Amino acid sequence: MPRIKAITTGSIPSFLDVILNFAESDTSATLVTQDTWPTQLAAKDFTEVDNNVTRHVPFELDQKDWNGMIMHYLGLDHIGHKSGPRSPHMVPKHREMDAIVEQVYQAIQTKEHLTSTLLVLCGDHGMNDAGNHGGSAPGETSPALVFMSPKLKAISFGNSCPIEKQPDEYQYYSVVEQSDIAPTLAGLLGFPVPLNNLGVFIPDFLRFWPETERVALMARNAQQVLRIVQTTFPDTSFDKLTDTTGCVDPASDALELTCRWTAVQALFKDGEESSEDKIRLLTEFLQAAQRILSSAASNYDVSKLQLGLTVVAMACGFAVASLVAQGEESSSIWTVVLALGYGTMMFASSFVEEEHHFWYWVTCGWLTWLYLKLSQKDLTIAKAHPWYPAILLAINRIIRRWNQTGQKHAGEPDIAKTFFPSHRMLLWVLVSITILDLARRLVWHGSKVSRLSGILSLLLCLLVFAFKVTFTIADAPELLFEIPHKIWKPLEGTPLVTQARTVFAGITVFMLFNMYRGLQRKLGSCKTFPDIAWTLHDLLTLFLIMQTRVTNIPLYLLLYTELHVIDALDMRADEITLTSIIFQYVTFFASGGSNAISSIDLSNAYNGISGYNVAAVGFLTFVSNWAGPIWWASATNLLLLDKSSQRRLEKYLRHIALLTTFTASSLFFVMLACTILRTHLFIWTVFSPKYLYSMAWSLGQHLAVNVTIGGLLFWIGSADAL
């Protein structure tokens, strides 16, 4: 919706508009027959959502009771998000859209009541090689715009079509800003320019008016923008510039606009210049104002920014002081080095966009150091073979190719989006093995309580598998083509909401039961239920699988393998913590995450929800995107609990102190980068989204998951070692 705001109002959308784009509860603007997130996400066949628009077109074209029609087609967007711009569905969908354009244009040509109709064909955004949008790549920020009407022949000199490929792949005849559409349409329709418009009337349409009216039209546009300029620079007088020597190389944006407006006023007072000169100066003023005001769309309260930095710096200082008080160990130094390296990277937009490479490199370095450390030990007394880190390196080499992310290589071949769609049977074999392995764990732990508990655990896993199949039927039926239809046919039409609620209720009951037995054991009234921590971890994994894309489910097999290898290594508690930090970030990016708003996965945000609920959708969205880090937060508790019971609380507090040190320092560097680079070209497309992600990591992953939920699970799980 932010770009639609620019198209319809001519104003520059703020970063808050991007955030509110996910809030269905914001109903301040709607389009007729446009469904909101739940229905849009359910239209996975790429046709239903467009057919809901197309079926109204012939009837409406015959009617005379409307002045404007908005047709919002989403099929191309869905195809891009699902399988990228090179999807085999793209060409047929473009042909379908061509047919719609032809139908409308022919109606304009042949129907008398449509002879003065203007057809505007435009996209509100493009897409990158992965099919996403919201970043700063040329493919994302260069949507097409075409004006069509038989009456345009009177002012058009004609353009060759098609034209040869241009050096800039996305620029053809001319380039305008999206905000220019609103004042242009207002002028063509005889409406006033929108109040907060920053757009410039597209000059090509001025030929519709006589020369004197052309100047008046552009002057009204300039006067409207001037009011915004005066509000933005209240200390500048735009009517009293006497010394123009500074206009050769203006020292400030305000001076540049003052000089340009002074030149406009001088030309009008002179009265002898041609209309073309007046229009040229007015256009130059408008374009300069548009450029400057677009980059200064926000007023920064630097004192509050500095206050935020001070608070986070104090939190970081307290965390470091806590580490020093507990005694220095080598991993503390590693944590500081990691935080400094990470923080330095936050001042470069390319590094922010490609952050996953940093974590992949760090993983290699850390595991190599562990190998060197183990290789120096006497193998006769070592608890693990020094080649164990090499096993972890091999697994991480596979994990890092699971989902290509970032900006530069987002569309490159990977396992989830390239290999599995071509090897669907293998995908479902791995999904089945993953869920069966989890069922084995739960049944083994559950049967220690009662046979019924083990049976119910198996049933719960089967329900999860059934839900993922049913969800795939609706979300990505192409992944089931090689699976015999008779296997999954009984699941067709089964309500997803009912299935999801049943599974969530089962997982919740089992978790509460295990936590209750853990409390009983901790209080000494129950001595017969070991492995509580492992049971809770497996139940959490089952919930995370519910919130994971089907192509990412086999990742949990690799994560469990890594967990057992790490458990076999002779690692200190603080080394486990540092490994946890690294692996949390690695799995986030390997699952398809990035620092771009466009990579937020909403496909599982409505599991079990029939209507919009901001708390429930927000929670499920967070879990869907942070499933890997949440899994490692729980797995870290298992590794810490496996250590000797001596000084367990002290080691856990040090674990939290190390996590807090890295989290606070990384947040500080991100905030510092956003403050220093607040006028940077990519502040809204790169650095501000990174700040939002940092807040999610700090408040969601660290405070809510690592500290609160992790602390509770550690406390309950510690009953096993009593």
Side-chain angles (χ1 to χ4, degrees):
M1 296 302 289
R3 296 173 183 85
I4 294 179
K5 176 181 178 180
I7 292 173
T8 55
T9 68
S11 59
I12 304 300
S14 67
F15 196 66
L16 181 61
D17 293 310
V18 179
I19 302 172
L20 292 178
N21 191 40
F22 294 96
E24 184 189 332
S25 55
D26 179 15
T27 57
S28 58
T30 59
L31 298 181
V32 178
T33 73
Q34 175 185 327
D35 296 323
T36 46
W37 277 112
T39 305
Q40 290 183 27
L41 292 172
K44 299 301 181 181
D45 60 353
F46 314 140
T47 57
E48 177 186 342
V49 70
D50 286 345
N51 288 341
N52 286 338
V53 178
T54 302
R55 59 191 173 91
H56 296 286
V57 172
F59 173 79
E60 292 296 341
L61 289 176
D62 288 332
Q63 306 307 305
K64 301 179 181 180
D65 57 351
W66 54 269
N67 293 316
M69 181 194 303
I70 298 176
M71 294 176 285
H72 190 190
Y73 284 96
L74 290 164
L76 281 170
D77 186 66
H78 285 174
I79 293 172
H81 284 300
K82 282 287 289 164
S83 46
R86 296 176 181 84
S87 167
H89 299 285
M90 272 293 181
V91 173
K93 177 57 68 173
H94 276 112
R95 288 173 178 161
E96 178 188 339
M97 294 297 101
D98 284 345
I100 300 301
V101 173
E102 181 182 13
Q103 178 184 7
V104 175
Y105 189 79
Q106 286 181 348
I108 294 174
Q109 286 182 309
T110 58
K111 298 182 185 295
E112 185 177 352
H113 65 282
L114 298 178
T115 54
S116 295
T117 300
L118 173 66
L119 173 61
V120 182
L121 176 66
C122 65
D124 56 334
H125 57 75
M127 63 179 66
N128 59 21
D129 288 339
N132 295 323
H133 53 85
S136 56
E140 300 171 72
T141 59
S142 305
L145 172 64
V146 184
F147 292 88
M148 287 176 277
S149 173
K151 289 194 172 184
L152 291 178
K153 296 178 180 179
I155 64 169
S156 175
F157 299 120
N159 292 304
S160 58
C161 182
I163 61 175
E164 295 182 1
K165 187 175 180 179
Q166 303 298 302
D168 188 324
E169 185 177 1
Y170 301 101
Q171 294 185 7
Y172 295 93
Y173 301 106
S174 60
V175 179
V176 299
E177 298 293 331
Q178 282 186 328
S179 55
D180 296 343
I181 298 176
T184 301
L185 292 179
L188 291 172
L189 296 172
F191 295 157
V193 179
L195 180 64
N196 295 317
N197 163 72
L198 288 179
V200 181
F201 188 92
I202 299 175
D204 292 341
F205 288 97
L206 289 174
R207 301 190 193 102
F208 270 129
W209 286 270
E211 284 194 11
T212 55
E213 294 186 24
R214 297 176 191 177
V215 176
L217 183 65
M218 295 300 293
R220 286 195 296 270
N221 192 177
Q223 287 286 351
Q224 176 266 323
V225 172
L226 178 64
R227 289 192 289 270
I228 302 177
V229 171
Q230 291 171 330
T231 303
T232 305
F233 302 102
D235 298 330
T236 302
S237 176
F238 290 87
D239 296 321
K240 299 180 180 179
L241 182 66
T242 55
D243 184 7
T244 60
T245 56
C247 294
V248 178
D249 185 17
S252 66
D253 292 337
L255 180 58
E256 178 185 351
L257 293 178
T258 303
C259 292
R260 291 189 181 277
W261 184 247
T262 301
V264 170
Q265 289 180 309
L267 197 63
F268 273 80
K269 288 179 181 178
D270 203 5
E272 297 181 359
E273 300 296 333
S274 65
S275 298
E276 287 78 6
D277 290 332
K278 294 178 180 178
I279 291 174
R280 177 180 56 80
L281 286 181
L282 285 167
T283 303
E284 289 176 356
F285 167 76
L286 284 165
Q287 291 176 342
Q290 183 184 61
R291 169 178 51 82
I292 292 171
L293 295 178
S294 297
S295 62
S298 294
N299 295 320
Y300 300 101
D301 190 331
V302 179
S303 61
K304 290 184 178 179
L305 295 176
Q306 293 172 343
L307 176 61
L309 284 169
T310 302
V311 171
V312 176
M314 291 175 60
C316 188
F318 287 138
V320 172
S322 175
L323 287 177
V324 174
Q326 295 176 37
E328 183 177 345
E329 293 188 42
S330 59
S331 290
S332 299
I333 300 175
W334 278 104
T335 304
V336 173
V337 171
L338 178 64
L340 290 176
Y342 181 85
T344 303
M345 186 180 65
M346 292 299 101
F347 291 86
S349 61
S350 295
F351 282 133
V352 173
E353 291 177 328
E354 307 297 326
E355 182 185 334
H356 53 289
H357 289 301
F358 171 82
W359 292 106
Y360 296 158
W361 298 333
V362 167
T363 303
C364 294
W366 176 244
L367 294 178
T368 301
W369 184 84
L370 289 178
Y371 166 76
L372 294 175
K373 175 187 171 185
L374 284 173
S375 63
Q376 295 174 0
K377 291 189 175 183
D378 187 348
L379 292 180
T380 60
I381 61 174
K383 295 181 181 179
H385 196 281
W387 283 106
Y388 276 22
I391 297 175
L392 293 176
L393 275 172
I395 294 174
N396 272 278
R397 188 64 187 87
I398 299 173
I399 289 176
R400 64 186 290 180
R401 285 304 301 270
W402 209 269
N403 285 278
Q404 291 282 14
T405 185
Q407 288 288 333
K408 294 182 179 179
H409 307 290
E412 296 298 316
D414 57 27
I415 295 174
K417 295 187 288 291
T418 307
F419 180 77
F420 279 150
S422 302
H423 301 81
R424 295 179 282 268
M425 186 63 73
L426 176 60
L427 167 64
W428 286 102
V429 168
L430 293 175
V431 170
S432 301
I433 293 174
T434 303
I435 296 179
L436 285 175
D437 179 65
L438 193 57
R440 177 188 62 82
R441 298 171 185 275
L442 286 169
V443 169
W444 187 73
H445 293 305
S447 60
K448 293 183 179 182
V449 181
S450 67
R451 181 175 298 178
L452 177 62
S453 180
I455 294 174
L456 292 177
S457 298
L458 177 60
L459 177 61
L460 192 58
C461 290
L462 292 176
L463 289 174
V464 170
F465 182 80
F467 172 80
K468 299 310 294 186
V469 172
T470 309
F471 188 90
T472 304
I473 293 172
D475 179 69
E478 67 276 6
L479 293 177
L480 290 165
F481 286 162
E482 291 180 1
I483 312 300
H485 185 256
K486 62 182 180 181
I487 294 178
W488 50 269
K489 183 178 180 180
L491 297 174
E492 287 185 301
T494 307
L496 284 169
V497 173
T498 302
Q499 288 190 63
R501 288 177 178 176
T502 302
V503 174
F504 288 159
I507 293 175
T508 302
V509 170
F510 268 72
M511 276 196 167
L512 292 176
F513 173 74
N514 282 276
M515 293 172 70
Y516 170 71
R517 296 304 293 268
L519 290 173
Q520 279 189 318
R521 182 172 176 80
K522 200 166 186 70
L523 296 174
S525 59
C526 175
K527 301 294 183 181
T528 61
F529 190 34
D531 302 328
I532 298 169
W534 275 99
T535 303
L536 291 174
H537 177 72
D538 292 336
L539 286 171
L540 175 63
T541 304
L542 200 60
F543 172 64
L544 295 177
I545 287 176
M546 284 286 292
Q547 294 303 115
T548 300
R549 286 184 177 272
V550 68
T551 51
N552 284 342
I553 290 177
L555 270 174
Y556 292 100
L557 275 178
L558 298 177
L559 298 186
Y560 267 109
T561 304
E562 286 188 319
L563 175 59
H564 290 297
V565 173
I566 293 173
D567 193 31
L569 291 172
D570 186 18
M571 296 174 65
R572 296 193 308 269
D574 56 342
E575 291 175 336
I576 291 175
T577 300
L578 188 55
T579 303
S580 175
I581 293 173
I582 295 171
F583 280 20
Q584 284 184 33
Y585 277 88
V586 167
T587 52
F588 172 79
F589 290 107
S591 298
S594 75
N595 289 323
I597 297 295
S598 57
S599 68
I600 296 177
D601 182 11
L602 292 168
S603 61
N604 290 288
Y606 289 86
N607 288 346
I609 302 175
S610 57
Y612 184 78
N613 180 290
V614 64
V617 172
F619 170 73
L620 293 177
T621 300
F622 176 80
V623 173
S624 299
N625 290 272
W626 268 263
I630 293 172
W631 191 93
W632 272 113
S634 175
T636 303
N637 280 332
L638 299 178
L639 296 171
L640 293 173
L641 287 168
D642 194 47
K643 293 294 177 182
S644 171
S645 60
Q646 297 179 358
R647 302 169 59 194
R648 173 176 283 116
L649 179 60
E650 180 181 336
K651 291 180 179 179
Y652 181 75
L653 291 177
R654 182 173 181 79
H655 163 70
I656 295 299
L658 281 168
L659 288 174
T660 304
T661 299
F662 176 79
T663 302
S665 60
S666 61
L667 179 60
F668 172 79
F669 281 115
V670 171
M671 293 174 65
L672 182 63
C674 289
T675 301
I676 294 176
L677 303 174
R678 60 187 180 274
T679 59
H680 193 280
L681 177 63
F682 296 146
I683 183 63
W684 296 119
T685 56
V686 176
F687 295 103
S688 294
K690 175 57 187 174
Y691 173 71
L692 286 183
Y693 273 98
S694 295
M695 293 303 297
W697 277 103
S698 303
L699 299 178
Q701 180 63 20
H702 180 62
L703 289 180
V705 177
N706 280 319
V707 177
T708 305
I709 298 177
L712 178 62
L713 295 177
F714 184 87
W715 181 69
I716 295 174
S718 62
D720 287 340
L722 293 177

